[in-house]
């Protein structure tokens, strides 16, 4: 099976780093386009107090961290002519699925486990959610 437009979901975890190696190899083998997507989620804060304010420093810190990850990804794929790295805020599984659909990707590559922690125990893993809802092949790398 040949792929032409590969989406790789990256979160910085060890399985994600292994998945990145596989995505790069598939991209080179198929002379495909590769998009590295870093999806992150800033949780909403709910309060009954009318003066709850998220400190601007927090949002700046989040943005700085996400930009550093994207720059790292761009450096890792700079040798590939058809590769790009993007970052998006939102529920990771939904962001991945929506991006794959919008960009007409024909393969999603991702690690088996990410950085979800407690959220994964409560809500289920991002990789599981993507596998269950993706209309295209999903390669899970352990």
């Amino acid at each position: 099976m040949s792929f032409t437009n590969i989406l790789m979901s990256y979160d910085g975890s060890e399985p994600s780093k292994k998945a990145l190696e596989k995505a790069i190899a598939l991209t080179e083998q198929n002379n495909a386009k590769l998009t590295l997507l870093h999806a992150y989620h800033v949780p909403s804060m709910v309060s009954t107090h009318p003066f709850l304010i998220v400190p601007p420093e927090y949002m700046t810190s989040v943005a700085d961290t996400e930009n550093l990850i994207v720059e790292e990804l761009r450096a890792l794929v700079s040798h590939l002519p058809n590769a790009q790295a993007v970052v998006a805020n939102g529920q990771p599984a939904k962001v991945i699925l929506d991006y794959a659909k919008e960009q007409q990707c024909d393969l999603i590559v991702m690690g088996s486990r990410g950085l979800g922690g407690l959220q994964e125990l409560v809500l289920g893993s991002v990789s599981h959610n993507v596998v269950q809802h993706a209309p295209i092949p999903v390669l899970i790398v352990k």
Side-chain angles (χ1 to χ4, degrees), residues 86-102:
V86 296
V87 62
N89 180 18
Q91 293 289 342
K94 181 173 178 4
V95 168
I96 294 163
L97 292 165
D98 288 349
Y99 191 91
K101 182 178 180 180
E102 290 166 10

Side-chain angles (χ1 to χ4, degrees), residues 38-137:
H38 176 66
Y40 70 98
H41 179 64
V42 178
S44 300
M45 294 186 194
V46 177
S47 173
T48 57
H49 194 280
F51 298 108
L52 177 66
I53 298 172
V54 176
E57 299 84 21
Y58 174 76
M59 294 311 294
T60 300
S61 173
V62 169
D64 289 347
T65 300
E66 303 314 319
N67 287 331
L68 285 173
I69 290 172
V70 169
E71 290 307 314
E72 173 188 342
L73 290 174
R74 286 183 179 142
L76 290 170
V77 296
S78 63
H79 67 286
L80 296 172
N82 296 321
Q84 66 176 344
V86 296
V87 62
N89 180 18
Q91 293 289 342
K94 181 173 178 4
V95 168
I96 294 163
L97 292 165
D98 288 349
Y99 191 91
K101 182 178 180 180
E102 290 166 10
Q103 299 301 315
Q104 300 176 339
C105 297
D106 53 12
L107 175 67
I108 299 172
V109 179
M110 58 193 313
S112 60
R113 290 245 188 282
L115 300 173
L118 180 60
Q119 181 182 11
E120 184 174 321
L121 292 173
V122 177
L123 301 175
S125 73
V126 172
S127 59
H128 178 76
N129 193 329
V130 170
V131 166
Q132 294 301 310
H133 297 99
I136 59 175

